[in-house]
Structure formats: structure tokens, C-alpha cells
């Protein structure tokens, strides 16, 4: 796998913004780090330490640009310590990103910053590049998700709410959530909104969940949507809906023409494990399509739990 190309492709999926210059600088630092690694492998051993200095720049640039997108503030007006504290204290990082953040800061950035006597060998330099490349990719992906959520939220708030939702009359948490999901899925202008201006070859799960996050923020104040909440043993469902003390687990799956019964069975086992961990007794398995569609509803209910399965009405 060409790590540089993977990161470059991810950057190219984003619309131009005030973060674009910073993201391209991150890519440059990683490219230069690889060149230092190659020089070190040819005999200039000091270059291995230079790798770490470049990966530190990529690390710092990544968190600054995510901070810019999340807060709409210029990161140059904040110290790096302030920005790092913002992420560690506010639980902003999704679990997979947090793991990479902690790993790089602990193993590479902090030691190289605070001890100028340190030097690194080729294996350490290579591992630092792999670690910061993974971290940068995940942060750029989180930037992408945030931009989608913000775009959907902004667009809906600028329009009449009835353009995107029909009135909710049930005052029933599950029924209201399903109705909002159906309005989201069947509205063509809304469904296409978060792909406008991008070059995504296909709709990914994280695109849909990010759009849903922005959608629920803008259309209801009663039902909240928490994306990738960390449960016991670092297990993460895709999202959890909440209204007062009631909660619903949401698990997304891409709908495919050749989806099999065994795939559905695995999804059921998956959400059952989430319900056992959380003591939440309702889950939605949402099979999303690649185009707007209403969905069919199937319920699996036992004494303790309810699983609602949503599949698109259209034939893919």
C-alpha cells in the first residue's frame, strides 16, 4: 500500500477550504520523512532522527487542522498544549483516532521534544512514519465526516424544516426515530447533499452516519445522536439515539444485492452483544442504499429486546 497516495486521495475527496493548505503541508512532511528514511538507509544515520522531527510536524498539523474544522477558530492563535488539552478533555476523538493520538504522542512526539539527546534507528523511524501516517489519515477522515455533518446541518437550518421532515405526531421515541430516518433516506435533495463537491466513488458508512449526525442536530432537539460511543471493552456501535432516559442502538450496514442471510445473522449477533453490554433493549439495523429510498421494516422481538431491521424498498 502506498501510504502517501492513500493520504493524498483522502485529501482530494474534500472541498477546498481554509484547512486545505494545512492538509497539504501534512502530506509534504510525511513525504519528506520518507526521503529522510531512504537517506538514512543509505548510510546517513542522522537522517533517522530527522524522520521523527518531520513526523512530529505532521502530527501537530493534523490536530491543528481538525481543531480548525471543529471549532471554526484559527489554531495559530492557540498553543499546541491548549489544542491537545481540548481534544483530551472534551472527548472529541473517536476511539480509533484517540488510540493513534495517544500512541504517537507517548512514543514519539513527547520523547523527541523533551530530550534533545535522543536519536533513533531505522526501525524506529519507519514505525514513526507508519504511526503518524495512520493518525493523519484517520484525522483527515474525521475532518471529512465533520464537514459532511456541518454541511447537512447548515443546509437544513437555512431552509424550511418541512422541506426535509414531515410533522411528527406520535410522541413515541421509537416511532419518531424511524419516521425521521425515513424522511432522511427518502429525500433526494438531502440524500445527495453530502456528496456534492466530492469525488467519492461510492457512499461509505461513515458518510451516512456523519450526514445523519448533522440531520438530527438540525431537525430535532428531543432526540440526540451520539456517533461511535465507546462502550465496555472499547466496543463501539455506530451510534446511539437518546431521548431523556430512553436509548436506541443504531448499526449501519451497506445494502448489497447479494446480501446473505448469514450477514444479517451476524448483524443480529452484533447488536445483541451491544444490548447486553449497555442494557439498552432496542436496536436498529439500518441497511442504507446508494440512492434515496423508503424502507421496509422488520421487527425481531423477544421478552427482553427488540431489533428493528430497515431495508430499502428499491431493488439495487
Amino acid at each position: 500500500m502506498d501510504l502517501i497516495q492513500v493520504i493524498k486521495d483522502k485529501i482530494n475527496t474534500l472541498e477546498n477550504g481554509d484547512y486545505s493548505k494545512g492538509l497539504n503541508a501534512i502530506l509534504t512532511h510525511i513525504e519528506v520523512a520518507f526521503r529522510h528514511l531512504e537517506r538514512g538507509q543509505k548510510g546517513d544515520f542522522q537522517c533517522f532522527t530527522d524522520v521523527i522531527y518531520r513526523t512530529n510536524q505532521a502530527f501537530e498539523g493534523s490536530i491543528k487542522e481538525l481543531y480548525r474544522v471543529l471549532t471554526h477558530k484559527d489554531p495559530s492563535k492557540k498553543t499546541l498544549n491548549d489544542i491537545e488539552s481540548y481534544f483530551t478533555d472534551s472527548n472529541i476523538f473517536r476511539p480509533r483516532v484517540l488510540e493513534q493520538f495517544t500512541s504517537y504522542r507517548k512514543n514519539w512526539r513527547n520523547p523527541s521534544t523533551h530530550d534533545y539527546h535522543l536519536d533513533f534507528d531505522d526501525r524506529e523511524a519507519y514505525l514513526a512514519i507508519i504511526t503518524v501516517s495512520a493518525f493523519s489519515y484517520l484525522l483527515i477522515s474525521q475532518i471529512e465526516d465533520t464537514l459532511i455533518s456541518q454541511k447537512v446541518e447548515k443546509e437544513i437550518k437555512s431552509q424550511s424544516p418541512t422541506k426535509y421532515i414531515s410533522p411528527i405526531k406520535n410522541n413515541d421515541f421509537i416511532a419518531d426515530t424511524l419516521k425521521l430516518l425515513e424522511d432522511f433516506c427518502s429525500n433526494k435533495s438531502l440524500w445527495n447533499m453530502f456528496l456534492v463537491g466530492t469525488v467519492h466513488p461510492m457512499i461509505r458508512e461513515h458518510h451516512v452516519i456523519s450526514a445523519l449526525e448533522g440531520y438530527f442536530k438540525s431537525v430535532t432537539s428531543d432526540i440526540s445522536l451520539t456517533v461511535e460511543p465507546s462502550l465496555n471493552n472499547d466496543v463501539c456501535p455506530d451510534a446511539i439515539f437518546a431521548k431523556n432516559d430512553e436509548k436506541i442502538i443504531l448499526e449501519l450496514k451497506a445494502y448489497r444485492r447479494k446480501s446473505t442471510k448469514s450477514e444479517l445473522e451476524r448483524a443480529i449477533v452484533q447488536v445483541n452483544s451491544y444490548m447486553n453490554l449497555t442494557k439498552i433493549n432496542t436496536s436498529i439495523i439500518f441497511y442504507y442504499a446508494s440512492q434515496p429510498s423508503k424502507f421496509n421494516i422488520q421487527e425481531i422481538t423477544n421478552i427482553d429486546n427488540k431489533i428493528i431491521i430497515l431495508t430499502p424498498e428499491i431493488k439495487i
Side-chain angles (χ1 to χ4, degrees):
M1 179 185 293
D2 186 340
L3 287 176
I4 291 176
Q5 190 59 51
V6 168
I7 294 171
K8 187 179 296 184
D9 290 343
K10 177 59 69 175
I11 292 173
N12 288 338
T13 64
L14 305 180
E15 298 179 28
N16 288 329
D18 53 3
Y19 47 81
S20 299
K21 183 178 179 181
L23 295 184
N24 284 308
I26 293 164
L27 178 63
T28 298
H29 284 305
I30 295 174
E31 290 174 328
V32 174
F34 269 111
R35 291 201 288 271
H36 282 319
L37 178 65
E38 291 173 356
R39 283 193 286 272
Q41 291 171 334
K42 292 176 181 177
D44 189 353
F45 301 135
Q46 292 300 317
C47 287
F48 295 134
T49 300
D50 292 334
V51 167
I52 309 303
Y53 295 139
R54 283 291 184 167
T55 56
N56 283 350
Q57 291 297 311
F59 171 81
E60 293 176 11
S62 298
I63 61 174
K64 286 179 178 179
E65 293 311 317
L66 180 58
Y67 177 84
R68 184 196 303 277
V69 171
L70 287 170
T71 66
H72 304 288
K73 296 179 181 178
D74 184 353
S76 67
K77 297 181 179 180
K78 293 284 186 179
T79 67
L80 185 63
N81 184 63
D82 288 339
I83 294 173
E84 288 187 347
S85 296
Y86 167 78
F87 286 118
T88 54
D89 296 342
S90 57
N91 199 29
I92 292 294
F93 283 141
R94 294 182 181 175
R96 296 173 185 85
V97 181
L98 179 61
E99 181 181 343
Q100 292 296 326
F101 171 76
T102 304
S103 172
Y104 187 84
R105 190 168 67 157
K106 176 183 177 181
N107 295 322
W108 308 107
R109 187 264 185 166
N110 286 354
S112 63
T113 300
H114 300 300
D115 188 351
Y116 63 87
H117 293 103
L118 284 178
D119 60 4
F120 298 87
D121 63 19
D122 59 331
R123 293 166 296 182
E124 292 171 315
Y126 183 76
L127 185 56
I129 291 176
I130 298 300
T131 304
V132 83
S133 295
F135 177 73
S136 297
Y137 178 85
L138 289 173
L139 253 67
I140 295 167
S141 182
Q142 187 160 344
I143 287 172
E144 175 188 34
D145 293 345
T146 302
L147 291 172
I148 289 173
S149 179
Q150 290 175 351
K151 183 175 184 178
V152 170
E153 183 179 6
K154 181 180 178 181
E155 174 64 22
I156 293 175
K157 286 183 175 179
S158 70
Q159 302 289 334
S160 169
T162 56
K163 180 177 178 180
Y164 296 108
I165 61 171
S166 51
I168 296 174
K169 300 177 180 179
N170 298 301
N171 198 29
D172 177 278
F173 178 39
I174 296 176
D176 290 348
T177 301
L178 292 175
K179 186 68 179 70
L180 289 171
L181 282 173
E182 183 170 52
D183 286 342
F184 171 83
C185 292
S186 59
N187 189 298
K188 184 175 182 180
S189 60
L190 178 60
W191 187 248
N192 293 333
M193 183 193 309
F194 61 90
L195 292 180
V196 174
T198 70
V199 291
H200 299 301
M202 63 184 297
I203 298 176
R204 301 288 186 183
E205 181 179 302
H206 62 95
H207 299 150
V208 179
I209 196 67
S210 299
L212 278 171
E213 183 180 36
Y215 172 74
F216 272 83
K217 282 181 180 178
S218 58
V219 300
T220 176
S221 58
D222 294 331
I223 301 174
S224 64
L225 176 65
T226 304
V227 176
E228 290 188 2
S230 182
L231 308 180
N232 298 335
N233 303 316
D234 296 324
V235 174
C236 294
D238 289 327
I240 290 180
F241 292 110
K243 180 180 180 181
N244 299 325
D245 295 330
E246 297 179 275
K247 293 183 178 179
I248 302 171
I249 293 169
L250 176 67
E251 188 65 24
L252 270 68
K253 302 292 180 184
Y255 181 76
R256 300 181 297 113
R257 180 165 43 192
K258 295 183 179 179
S259 293
T260 63
K261 181 180 178 182
S262 61
E263 289 174 338
L264 175 58
E265 289 172 347
R266 286 196 297 272
I268 292 171
V269 169
Q270 184 179 9
V271 296
N272 268 317
S273 68
Y274 296 153
M275 289 190 288
N276 289 334
L277 280 171
T278 60
K279 307 307 178 185
I280 297 171
N281 60 14
T282 303
S283 289
I284 297 174
I285 301 175
F286 174 24
Y287 283 88
Y288 65 91
S290 57
Q291 56 187 290
S293 172
K294 292 188 176 183
F295 46 65
N296 298 310
I297 300 176
Q298 175 188 355
E299 289 190 12
I300 301 175
T301 305
N302 59 29
I303 296 174
D304 299 316
N305 298 327
K306 176 188 290 187
I307 298 174
I308 302 169
I309 302 165
L310 309 179
T311 53
E313 288 184 352
I314 60 172
K315 293 182 179 180
I316 307 299

